[in-house]
Amino acid sequence: MFAKACDFVAGATSIDSLPVPSVPEVAFAGRSNVGKSSLLNALTGRKALARTSQNPGRTRQLNFFLLDEKLMLVDLPGYGYAKASKKEIKTWTTLTRQYLCGRAQLRRACLLLDARRDLTEADREWMQMLDEAAVPYQLVLTKCDKLSPNELEARINVTKEAAASHGAAMPEIIATSSERKTGIDTLRLALAALTEA
């Protein structure tokens, strides 16, 4: 499925501009600069499906990509540091919350966490928000190639402990590297299963 066509459908800046739901949707969230665009590109085998940038906060709308006519990948604006006004950040944060809490086709959220960093207050707020919205979410560690095997094992265990107290969090932690393609097939399998439900 991930080798098939993946086309940009819409960039939504308001609830009214969201595309009409047609297939199961998976949303990708994470701090600015967590490697969200790189992961989306690795998942779909494209180099530039989602634009990567050295400047945090480049994604300022909800971007919808239709994969093989079966699954919608939704790239959410990053949270945390971004070169944008407080008003802009508030606008896209509000839209993101409205989408997560009211989208019937949303089957899963992937919450990306930088494997090199401890969970931030913003990460924990997102986990709480997804719990409250009853959106099942997968914790995905990014940039795992930057850690030694022992460091990575320790980070996975710490993340599992954090997830254990959150009702909507999936129990498995998926460790990935967009650069080395580590964990990409595991994440693909998890997402492909959503189209069969």
Side-chain angles (χ1 to χ4, degrees), residues 12-133:
T13 55
S14 67
I15 283 293
D16 294 338
S17 60
L18 293 175
V20 176
S22 59
V23 296
E25 296 178 2
V26 178
F28 292 81
R31 291 184 71 240
S32 299
N33 241 14
V34 75
K36 193 155 44 72
S37 296
S38 295
L39 183 71
L40 280 167
N41 290 337
L43 272 175
T44 58
R46 271 99 177 145
K47 291 183 178 179
L49 178 73
R51 288 184 301 174
T52 59
S53 173
Q54 294 300 315
N55 300 316
R58 280 292 298 274
T59 304
R60 302 187 179 195
Q61 58 189 11
L62 277 61
N63 290 319
F64 289 75
F65 302 93
L66 182 58
L67 177 65
D68 191 28
E69 303 289 332
K70 294 178 181 176
L71 188 67
M72 192 75 77
L73 309 179
V74 187
D75 185 9
L76 303 178
Y79 54 86
Y81 175 77
K83 290 184 178 178
S85 69
K86 289 183 179 179
K87 182 178 180 181
E88 286 177 301
I89 293 172
K90 183 178 180 180
T91 297
W92 76 58
T93 301
T94 299
L95 173 60
T96 298
R97 287 177 182 272
Q98 289 174 327
Y99 167 76
L100 291 172
C101 295
R103 191 72 166 177
Q105 291 296 108
L106 182 60
R107 296 288 185 269
R108 182 79 45 89
C110 289
L111 184 58
L112 278 54
L113 306 169
D114 189 327
R116 303 168 300 175
R117 312 274 183 252
D118 291 333
L119 279 175
T120 66
E121 187 60 35
D123 294 327
R124 295 181 188 280
E125 286 175 4
W126 264 77
M127 293 169 75
Q128 186 66 38
M129 180 176 67
L130 290 166
D131 284 341
E132 292 170 359

